[in-house]
Amino acid sequence: MKFTSAILLLSPLLASALSFPSSSDRKVLDDQHKVPGSQPLTFCKDPADYILDVHNVDLIPNPPVPGEKLIIRGNGTFNQEIEDGASVYLQVKYGLITLIKQDADMCEQLPKIDIECPIKKGYMEIYKEVNIPRQVPPGKYTVLADVKTKDKEPITCMEAVVVFPR
Ligand SMILES: *[C@@H]1O[C@H](CO)[C@@H](O)[C@H](O)[C@H]1NC(C)=O
């Protein structure tokens, strides 16, 4: 599986991995670290220090339906401008097997969701439609995305643990 098939948090891959979330399957570290909105994401740690202040992220429908269209909608505020050189570390595990573990250039990925670097300081909305594969191998998926500036300052970091029922 190629990294380029996974766009930050908004990739079809992640969307697939987020299918069938249930509260008992989610790793809830702390309620205050839950990403606001209708999806199973949590921040990796207290998001107060992140450059991106996420207001809301919704998956429509939540949970996604295999073989159908999924809308990913979100908004947030960047507390500083994001320049070229920002990176995104993406890790996807299926059970104990690592499917993806890779650093990529964030600015090269963003055009896929109609955003360009530099990202101006201030409010931003995103909207993306993806198609969920009809067949998703059942099992436990762990997804982590850690986004940093070129100076390694944290922009955001989110994770989800989701189990696809057999
Ligand atoms: C962000 O999106 C949510 C849900 O659509 C909305 O309720 C909220 O007003 C938005 N925030 C801003 C600052 O526009």
Side-chain angles (χ1 to χ4, degrees):
M1 206 181 297
K2 278 203 272 179
F3 179 86
T4 47
S5 66
I7 314 155
L8 300 180
L9 288 175
L10 306 171
S11 66
L13 175 75
L14 177 64
S16 305
L18 297 182
S19 296
F20 301 112
S22 83
S23 53
S24 60
D25 294 332
R26 271 191 41 219
K27 182 177 69 170
V28 180
L29 301 172
D30 184 327
D31 274 351
Q32 81 186 43
H33 293 169
K34 187 191 176 313
V35 177
S38 175
Q39 30 62 28
L41 294 164
T42 54
F43 294 111
C44 304
K45 60 187 178 75
D46 186 340
D49 295 335
Y50 293 158
I51 290 168
L52 174 59
D53 180 12
V54 176
H55 304 317
N56 195 78
V57 179
D58 289 326
L59 299 184
I60 306 163
N62 183 39
V65 179
E68 291 187 8
K69 187 179 77 174
L70 171 69
I71 293 169
I72 302 159
R73 185 181 71 179
N75 59 11
T77 299
F78 288 90
N79 295 314
Q80 65 185 61
E81 178 170 303
I82 306 300
E83 302 170 15
D84 275 335
S87 65
V88 53
Y89 170 78
L90 183 71
Q91 179 180 287
V92 180
K93 286 185 184 177
Y94 174 64
L96 296 174
I97 302 163
T98 300
L99 297 179
I100 294 176
K101 184 177 183 178
Q102 205 168 335
D103 259 308
D105 185 315
M106 185 187 78
C107 293
E108 284 176 10
Q109 307 297 320
L110 289 176
K112 294 170 186 170
I113 51 171
D114 304 321
I115 298 171
E116 281 183 7
C117 288
I119 300 173
K120 293 233 173 355
K121 180 177 171 174
Y123 178 74
M124 178 175 274
E125 295 178 351
I126 56 116
Y127 180 94
K128 181 73 178 172
E129 297 184 1
V130 297
N131 291 307
I132 303 300
R134 194 170 301 279
Q135 302 284 343
V136 183
K140 177 180 166 183
Y141 290 78
T142 311
V143 183
L144 171 89
D146 193 4
V147 189
K148 291 191 163 80
T149 66
K150 70 176 192 319
D151 300 322
K152 306 294 174 207
E153 291 177 83
I155 296 173
T156 192
C157 177
M158 297 179 188
E159 59 190 336
V161 178
V162 182
V163 175
F164 282 62
R166 191 167 284 281

